[in-house]
Amino acid sequence: MPNGSPQRDHWSGRLGFVLAAAGSAIGLGNLWKFPYITYQNDGGRFVLIYLVCILIVGLPMMCAEILIGRRAQSSVSNAFGTLGHRRWNFVGWIGVLSGFVILGFYAVIAGWSLNSFYECMKFSLEDRYVKPDFGNFVTNGSHQVALTFSFLVLTALIVVGGVSRGIERSTKVLMPVLLMILVYLAFSVTQLEGFGRALRFLFAPDFSEPFKTHGALEALGHAFFTLSLGMGAMITYGSYMTKKEKILPVSITIVLLDTAIALVACVIMFSIIFSFPQVEADIQASTVGMLFITIPELFYNDMPGGPILAPLFFVLVAFAALSSTISLLEVIVSSFVDRLGWTRERSTLVSTGLVFGLGILSALSLGASEPLSKLKLLGESGLNTIVTADKEGVLSILDHISANWLLPIGGLLITIYAGWVLPKKISLEELFPGRETPPWQYKVWLFFVRFVAPAAIGAIIIAVCRGDDFS
Ligand code: TRP
């Protein structure tokens, strides 16, 4: 297929692609998941491993996925085939499966942001803050299902409109506003007494205690998750990119933005947690709710402009989540369009329906339904500990399986493909068009996708299977 064929929708320029890809990367992974798993893994050392994974696996993989997508100009389930390697198409289908699994729980959490928006709106209008009862909220089944449904409908409406009309326009405005509010919040938490402790918790690793290998897999998996890698989301987005843009600088920009936002979000939340003992107790009772518990506390504690910013903040969280759910659904929908020959409308309708089915199970697994909340994937066998780290309940299992297994395995296959199967001539042409001899940056990239990334992913997976603990 010719590159940039006229029928294929494209981003309207560099900013369009960067923002849409950054929009996919920046989402609940940064604002909700990273702070809470950092808390569960005791900060410092986890953050350090995460940063190393971003640098040595995430960045090279980001370039690899975008270049595969742009070259193939095809959805992920056919990208490898278009490049002449039909046998690799199964990797694309693993990606489609991951899309279902991730959306199946992500939409539930995304729904929470709609709820927090509504609550903050109420507090601000009534001019009084009542601490939300998070435990009660998550166990209310019909409420959870309704929120999940609403979020999926929003996502489907945008995806049905196609790439440049639907996706690009919304991210262009919303991402910069979210960034500004986060910076404002970060400035205001410097005044809190917990600020210093938050910095130490995050950036002064404690090496004296043994570190569970599961923490390392979690950090690696999260590096994939937060950058939207390992399932072809960036292959899909790259396929809408034109030849004019430079892949390397664009990838660096996305990775830096994503990492900065995740770290800033952590600094904000931990400063709040360490400043108010009551908040810390609430977090211990419901770690998954961290984002939704801590932030209102800050806004409604005599912060200048707080009552206006609080609802605005959660609207932006919802939009950050939306630009991510869009990319997840787009992977599935574009594959159905390309491979099953369905219309965009039909593909969107069917895949959203399937995701909603899974979403209902997750939504009810936070206490509303006892069996769904207590479900263990592999019963009591030893394999259960290795694969799911003893997670219980549909939502946590979907989250764990996708981020810790599907994405690293998909990512491993994609790096191997980019480093060893795809001809070097092609990757050079995509990364450094017009260069006959590879520049040093290309050599470094190739070394990372060929050796460093596969070795790091492989080593962590092996360590987890053996149950080693690092100390
Ligand atoms: N990266 C997004 C986040 O941090 C989630 C996401 C969107 C994603 N698309 C993806 C994760 C594709 C993995 C693969 O919230």
Side-chain angles (χ1 to χ4, degrees), residues 155-157 159-160 329 333 336-337 342-353:
T155 310
L157 286 177
V159 168
V160 106
L329 192 61
V333 169
F336 284 5
V337 171
W342 291 0
T343 58
R344 206 167 230 289
E345 289 75 17
R346 180 166 177 195
S347 309
T348 311
L349 194 69
V350 172
S351 43
T352 310

Side-chain angles (χ1 to χ4, degrees), residues 10 29 53 64 68 100 246 254 267 375 415 420:
H10 280 92
C53 289
I68 292 172
F100 277 113
K246 294 201 176 81
I254 299 168
V267 171
L375 184 85
T415 33
W420 298 96

